[in-house]
Amino acid sequence: MERRAYFNSVSDQWDDWNREADMLPRLERDLHGFGIRRGERVLDLGCGTGILFEPLLDRVGPEGMVEGVDYARFMVERAAGKHSDARLAGHVADAAFLPFRDGSVDRIVCFSTWPHFPDPQAVLVEAHRVLRPAGILHVWHVDGRDRINAIHRDLGGAVGTDLLVPAALLAAKATRVGFEPLVVLDEDDRYLVSLRRSRM
């Protein structure tokens, strides 16, 4: 509850802290490599104020759908206020209890959010449930793990202990849930673990 209250309290400042124009080249670089196809149903898990909505909508095309999920209601409301598109839906929900049917999502993009999940293993299990067989989960940051962890420690309070684990460790935990690691990057300027759901 403390984390949720924190993110609700900073929702009005979030876009100023995360300058979309500055981030866009790095976002586009990695999104291009994800191979998102037209017609996909993509879940933006931990969507915040919707920084990924437009680039995701561009990629899924007129036949696709983008579902934004965040547990901070004010974040979702701010995101919804900035975007008006029939292919876009926002949901206030916990990442460990998603309001989607089994096997109903083609891809999950979890951008700059993973350290804030109190039970990341439960989120892996839930992601596996809602993804279709061979669906993809991307755990992604456009800064390195050391920098992200330093930022959270410096902020303290509700997010002071929200730390990214080494990418190899996350990938190993995901395999036990039924994911196959596709990309495991733990670099100075990027953190990316892309996982494919088992076909069973």
Side-chain angles (χ1 to χ4, degrees):
M1 292 300 292
E2 186 181 1
R3 282 187 189 90
R4 185 176 306 186
Y6 169 78
F7 284 108
N8 275 320
S9 72
V10 300
S11 60
D12 288 342
Q13 304 162 265
W14 197 253
D15 290 339
D16 292 332
W17 293 352
N18 298 273
R19 297 176 64 86
E20 189 171 351
D22 296 339
M23 296 178 68
L24 194 57
R26 290 182 292 167
L27 296 177
E28 290 289 348
R29 172 198 67 184
D30 289 340
L31 283 169
H32 178 74
F34 290 176
I36 299 171
R37 297 182 298 275
R38 294 173 71 84
E40 284 191 3
R41 185 185 189 194
V42 178
L43 172 55
D44 182 356
L45 184 57
C47 65
T49 59
I51 190 172
L52 288 185
F53 285 177
E54 286 300 329
L56 289 174
L57 288 167
D58 288 346
R59 284 163 172 81
V60 302
E63 309 88 355
M65 183 77 182
V66 174
E67 307 270 2
V69 172
D70 204 291
Y71 68 174
R73 178 176 299 278
F74 293 168
M75 287 283 195
V76 176
E77 290 176 356
R78 187 167 180 82
K82 296 191 299 183
H83 301 275
S84 177
D85 194 302
R87 300 169 298 154
L88 181 62
H91 308 270
V92 179
D94 191 306
F97 302 95
L98 295 172
F100 304 108
R101 299 190 314 275
D102 295 2
S104 62
V105 175
D106 296 298
R107 188 180 304 262
I108 298 173
V109 179
C110 186
F111 175 64
S112 289
T113 310
W114 196 261
H116 304 303
F117 296 144
D119 188 350
Q121 195 69 15
V123 178
L124 285 171
V125 170
E126 187 69 343
H128 191 276
R129 180 187 70 79
V130 302
L131 280 168
R132 64 169 175 76
I136 305 293
L137 166 64
H138 305 283
V139 178
W140 173 38
H141 297 258
V142 292
D143 285 307
R145 175 167 51 91
D146 289 345
R147 173 171 166 72
I148 291 162
N149 289 346
I151 290 170
H152 292 164
R153 288 191 185 102
D154 288 346
L155 284 170
V159 298
T161 59
D162 291 0
L163 305 178
L164 266 178
V165 301
L169 178 58
L170 173 55
K173 290 181 176 182
T175 60
R176 294 195 284 272
V177 174
F179 283 103
E180 172 194 357
L182 301 176
V183 178
V184 181
L185 297 176
D186 206 334
E187 302 173 338
D188 290 342
D189 65 345
R190 176 168 50 171
Y191 181 102
L192 175 61
V193 180
S194 294
L195 306 156
R196 180 162 56 205
R197 184 200 186 279
S198 61
R199 295 180 181 274
M200 298 296 292

